[in-house]
Amino acid sequence: MSIWKRSLLYIKTHKFRSILLLFTLTVIASGMLIGLTVWQGSREGMQDLKETYGNSFKVTAIIPQTADDTRLWEQTGNVPGFIQYYYKGSKVDDELVRKIREVEGVTAYNKEYTLLLTYLPEIDLVDGLHTYFEKIDQAEGYPEEDLVKSWIVKSQNELKGCTDSSLLPYFRSNSLELIEGDPIREGDYRKILISDRVAEDNHLQVGDQIRVTELDEVKIMEMSSKEARKLEELPELVETFFTIAGIFHVNTSQYITELTPESDIADNFMFIDIDSVTEIYRENGAYYGEPLDPIYTATFFVDDPARTDEIIADVKQIPGVTWSDYELEVESSMYESALTPLENISRIMMFLLIFLLAVCILLLILVLRIWIGARKKEVGILISIGETRGRVRSQIFLEGGLLLLAALILAAGITFWGGNWIGNTLLDQMNRQQTKTLQVDPIENPATIEELEEMNEQFQLRSEAELVETLSCQLEASELLTGSVLLYLALGFAVWLETRRILRNRLKEILG
């Protein structure tokens, strides 16, 4: 009789043992296939995030915190109270940008710099810290000449300069969404983006102009609040008119209190072209001593996220650049929080797969020990009539293999039916945990410098990718094949280990 017929006959005549092994293998195979599909789904989700948000690296010049080193810093200007320093060290300049853009794989770039607190005399910003201070001063009845000039500061705002606003983290993560007009593009001049809320409050639309000025801080400091209010216009250094190129909407919630500075409120964000930033910075610097260029940062984008590290290595081979003066970092901050739940799922599934494989081997050893132990005489008879030890092993492996095949068919059906639900339920739990981790109790009355810094961080708008909400956990042929190979290897190892205990004995010992 062939080993196929003997295997089928044994399974048929020992139904209880066969059903028990079939059930055990089905449970293990189901866990294995579900684990593989959820693991693969999490890996695909991670890859999608990286391809969408992880295709860039940032280049920043390492600037010393003090200006003591005269090899790097040179003092310019002679305006009392406004010491100006010119940085002579390595910078992210147009020449460096050009060299990096010539590296194969670099597709685009965005140069950035933020102008601090320019004055917008005709614009009402969303109320924040300085509006709150002004109300307190007025309510307390202070003499006008003693009032802090909050009414000036509340109309000052940061202008965020860029080469291409669509490449900024805010817009790439959809925290801010352009709803009218066009983004800031390379080559634009005196163009600005504002929020829909500021546009509505000030009755502005695309194509209108906004007046932006740099105030003469020296003269402002010398005036009392009363004297400054009497002036029809405050003393200005630079006056610029910007055309509204586009209007954006803030899609994400932001923690805002009366202590939130106006410039930190997302609805007050304003973006302008980098050439205008440079021009204003130079004109302002010229007043205090010497026209200077801003110290930019730049983000570069690559055609293949998988090659980002390789492309950075190529960039560092550019001759004539002292790379120790720069930081080159993969820009991963946008999607790190969204990546965490997927990484946790991947780790859990990998642990589950290893655990199930170990359990599978252990259970098969125990079941086969009982199975084979009860068949010692049968094994001895087969050997005595001329069967080789290899064919005896093959028969036992075949019996288990047929049951494993049936278990895999059942497990595939279970995985097809429940894999998606299990994977997305787990993702939902991981997302809830991540959201809870990111939530912190707001600090409203900081008592230390550390608490003050932490409070300021709470005000910042997070330009992060949204958490992945669904995973594709459908069983694929590759996962079924991988699971089958692993389980058949486990079965083969268990059969070899247990049959070895018997077949290494002599025939007389087996039959005895």
Side-chain angles (χ1 to χ4, degrees):
M1 184 183 294
S2 69
I3 60 174
W4 279 92
K5 289 183 178 180
R6 284 205 303 266
S7 298
L8 292 170
L9 180 61
Y10 187 86
I11 292 172
K12 184 177 180 180
T13 55
H14 295 80
K15 293 179 181 177
F16 178 75
R17 292 180 184 175
S18 300
I19 291 173
L20 178 62
L21 184 57
L22 175 63
F23 175 77
T24 303
L25 290 172
T26 300
V27 172
I28 293 173
S30 298
M32 182 76 70
L33 295 183
I34 289 173
L36 283 169
T37 55
V38 175
W39 179 80
Q40 183 61 31
S42 68
R43 302 298 295 181
E44 290 175 357
M46 291 164 64
Q47 186 62 30
D48 289 343
L49 275 175
K50 290 178 180 178
E51 289 180 359
T52 305
Y53 302 108
N55 61 338
S56 62
F57 62 93
K58 193 168 187 176
V59 179
T60 308
I62 301 174
I63 309 296
Q65 296 299 309
T66 64
D68 297 334
D69 191 342
T70 56
R71 295 172 302 173
L72 297 176
W73 295 94
E74 179 182 335
Q75 183 176 338
T76 64
N78 54 6
V79 179
F82 286 84
I83 300 174
Q84 188 178 16
Y85 289 94
Y86 168 65
Y87 181 64
K88 298 184 290 184
S90 300
K91 301 177 185 178
V92 180
D93 54 19
D94 290 339
E95 179 63 16
L96 179 65
V97 170
R98 182 189 64 78
K99 290 179 178 179
I100 294 176
R101 292 191 69 189
E102 290 176 351
V103 173
E104 183 181 357
V106 176
T107 58
Y109 83 103
N110 187 41
K111 194 162 66 170
E112 302 169 39
Y113 186 82
T114 298
L115 284 173
L116 296 178
L117 299 180
T118 53
Y119 185 56
L120 295 91
E122 286 91 27
I123 298 297
D124 290 328
L125 299 174
V126 177
D127 291 348
L129 173 68
H130 298 97
T131 305
Y132 173 63
F133 280 166
E134 183 187 24
K135 290 178 181 178
I136 290 179
D137 290 340
Q138 292 173 347
E140 294 292 335
Y142 290 116
E144 191 170 4
E145 57 268 17
D146 296 333
L147 292 179
V148 178
K149 302 184 183 70
S150 299
W151 57 277
I152 295 178
V153 184
K154 75 174 186 178
S155 295
Q156 289 183 306
N157 198 18
E158 294 180 352
L159 299 183
K160 305 176 188 298
C162 59
T163 309
D164 187 339
S165 62
S166 65
L167 297 178
L168 291 170
Y170 300 113
F171 292 95
R172 293 174 59 212
S173 64
N174 205 39
S175 298
L176 306 182
E177 179 185 3
L178 192 68
I179 57 175
E180 291 183 45
D182 299 313
I184 299 294
R185 297 191 178 95
E186 186 172 8
D188 283 348
Y189 181 62
R190 295 192 178 180
K191 296 292 180 68
I192 190 169
L193 303 182
I194 64 173
S195 73
D196 52 356
R197 184 172 175 183
V198 168
E200 182 179 354
D201 290 348
N202 293 274
H203 309 290
L204 296 170
Q205 58 187 358
V206 173
D208 290 345
Q209 288 196 324
I210 294 177
R211 185 163 73 98
V212 174
T213 67
E214 288 283 319
L215 296 178
D216 187 333
E217 297 291 345
V218 176
K219 292 181 180 178
I220 293 292
M221 290 177 64
E222 293 172 350
M223 297 178 184
S224 69
S225 184
K226 185 175 183 180
E227 290 172 335
R229 280 188 183 273
K230 285 182 178 180
L231 295 177
E232 292 185 4
E233 289 189 1
L234 295 172
E236 301 170 352
L237 299 179
V238 181
E239 180 183 70
T240 311
F241 288 88
F242 284 89
T243 301
I244 299 174
I247 296 174
F248 62 84
H249 176 73
V250 180
N251 285 329
T252 187
S253 59
Q254 182 186 15
Y255 174 67
I256 297 175
T257 71
E258 292 173 329
L259 299 179
T260 310
E262 280 82 355
S263 59
D264 284 344
I265 298 174
D267 282 302
N268 288 334
F269 284 2
M270 295 182 177
F271 304 91
I272 65 173
D273 59 275
I274 202 72
D275 289 339
S276 296
V277 166
T278 304
E279 184 180 81
I280 293 173
Y281 193 90
R282 284 175 177 171
E283 291 182 8
N284 196 27
Y287 178 82
Y288 294 111
E290 183 177 341
L292 305 175
D293 283 340
I295 300 177
Y296 309 103
T297 63
T299 302
F300 296 86
F301 296 81
V302 301
D303 55 3
D304 183 3
R307 294 184 58 235
T308 301
D309 291 337
E310 177 188 337
I311 292 171
I312 290 177
D314 291 342
V315 167
K316 290 183 176 179
Q317 297 301 316
I318 296 175
V321 180
T322 307
W323 289 109
S324 58
D325 293 345
Y326 297 92
E327 287 184 356
L328 276 74
E329 297 178 324
V330 176
E331 190 64 69
S332 60
S333 59
M334 278 184 58
Y335 63 93
E336 280 179 347
S337 61
L339 203 61
T340 300
L342 299 175
E343 289 176 334
N344 290 338
I345 291 175
S346 180
R347 292 191 193 101
I348 291 171
M349 290 301 106
M350 184 57 66
F351 173 80
L352 176 66
L353 292 171
I354 295 172
F355 175 77
L356 285 174
L357 197 58
V359 168
C360 178
I361 293 173
L362 181 61
L363 285 177
L364 284 172
I365 288 174
L366 293 175
V367 171
L368 289 172
R369 180 163 297 182
I370 298 171
W371 193 314
I372 297 171
R375 302 170 64 182
K376 286 182 65 175
K377 287 188 178 180
E378 177 190 342
V379 171
I381 292 170
L382 288 172
I383 293 174
S384 67
I385 62 175
E387 287 289 357
T388 64
R389 283 172 167 75
R391 282 175 62 82
V392 171
R393 263 199 194 98
S394 299
Q395 178 184 331
I396 296 173
F397 177 78
L398 185 56
E399 292 166 1
L402 291 171
L403 292 174
L404 179 55
L405 178 61
L408 284 167
I409 294 172
L410 292 173
I414 293 170
T415 304
F416 183 80
W417 174 76
N420 233 6
W421 179 80
I422 292 172
N424 284 284
T425 300
L426 182 59
L427 176 64
D428 184 59
Q429 292 298 319
M430 292 294 105
N431 283 344
R432 289 174 185 270
Q433 182 178 336
Q434 178 67 8
T435 301
K436 188 175 181 180
T437 301
L438 293 174
Q439 291 175 343
V440 294
D441 295 330
I443 297 175
E444 296 185 356
N445 297 302
T448 64
I449 296 296
E450 291 74 16
E451 287 186 353
L452 179 62
E453 292 175 352
E454 191 174 336
M455 184 188 74
N456 289 335
E457 289 181 4
Q458 291 174 173
F459 297 145
Q460 305 304 312
L461 178 69
R462 293 180 178 273
S463 56
E464 297 176 339
E466 295 180 356
L467 295 174
V468 176
E469 296 182 351
T470 57
L471 291 179
S472 176
C473 301
Q474 293 295 332
L475 181 63
E476 303 289 342
S478 58
E479 289 136 16
L480 180 58
L481 179 61
T482 301
S484 301
V485 169
L486 290 174
L487 290 172
Y488 272 106
L489 287 174
L491 175 63
F493 176 73
V495 168
W496 174 82
L497 196 65
E498 286 306 305
T499 54
R500 181 172 173 271
R501 294 176 61 252
I502 296 175
L503 295 177
R504 67 184 176 183
N505 297 322
R506 295 178 181 179
L507 178 61
K508 184 177 180 180
E509 294 171 341
I510 296 174
L511 287 172

